[in-house]
Amino acid sequence: MMNTSYKTILVERQKHVQVITLNRPERMNAVIKPLYDEMLMALEQAENDDDIFAVVITGNGRAFCAGADLKAHKEGRSQEDKEAYLAAEQLVCSKIYHHTKPVIALVNGYAIGAGFELALNCDFLLMTESAQLS
């Protein structure tokens, strides 16, 4: 089993499955641009690895993803920063949707806004009883 740590996600290989865990539990896994950048790298890694047969995306803590990190968005971002964030969001969602391997959203807790969008682009959604989609 190979484990790789990033700043905002955890990537763990479990046999032939790559598990991507959104790892900002203190912010309910709210999305920031570095999270999208790291997700894109992890998704591309899985796509290029012939020993990976499927990808699972989940969240650490009580939420899958509570959407955009509005607190981080208030902190003086330039127009270029805003455009780069939106481009990264669209790129990750497109990569999930068009991924050459099945992508499964394991929704634990809240999947709101951008988090719901991530889940909806997956091939399958598995939800815990505590899952809330909005």
Side-chain angles (χ1 to χ4, degrees), residues 2 13 21 30 39 42 55-56 67 80 92 119 124:
M2 177 192 79
R13 184 175 178 157
T21 304
M39 280 193 71
V55 177
V56 172
E80 292 81 18
V92 167
F124 300 98

Side-chain angles (χ1 to χ4, degrees), residues 12 19 38-40 44 66 74 109 118 123 131 133:
E12 180 181 12
V19 179
E38 292 178 358
M39 280 193 71
L40 185 60
E44 288 174 347
K74 289 180 182 177
L118 288 173
D123 298 299
L133 309 175

Side-chain angles (χ1 to χ4, degrees), residues 17-133:
V17 176
Q18 181 164 301
V19 179
I20 300 171
T21 304
L22 308 182
N23 192 33
R24 299 185 71 230
E26 73 286 355
R27 300 291 303 146
M28 294 178 62
N29 302 314
V31 183
I32 54 177
K33 184 169 181 309
L35 185 139
Y36 281 134
D37 294 341
E38 292 178 358
M39 280 193 71
L40 185 60
M41 286 188 287
L43 290 163
E44 288 174 347
Q45 175 188 20
E47 199 163 46
N48 294 324
D49 187 336
D50 292 337
D51 289 332
I52 297 291
F53 299 158
V55 177
V56 172
I57 301 173
T58 192
N60 185 6
R62 64 188 182 112
F64 175 77
C65 176
D69 190 331
L70 299 180
K71 183 177 180 182
H73 285 224
K74 289 180 182 177
E75 298 172 0
R77 294 185 314 150
S78 68
Q79 185 61 33
E80 292 81 18
D81 292 340
K82 293 174 186 177
E83 290 171 6
Y85 170 84
L86 291 174
E89 173 191 25
Q90 292 174 358
L91 195 56
V92 167
C93 286
S94 179
K95 176 59 78 177
I96 291 169
Y97 186 80
H98 295 288
H99 207 279
T100 58
K101 298 170 185 180
V103 181
I104 302 154
L106 178 55
V107 181
N108 53 310
Y110 300 102
I112 300 171
F116 192 20
E117 186 175 10
L118 288 173
L120 284 176
N121 279 286
C122 293
D123 298 299
F124 300 98
L125 274 78
L126 299 175
M127 297 184 287
T128 63
E129 288 186 25
S130 64
Q132 295 185 31
L133 309 175

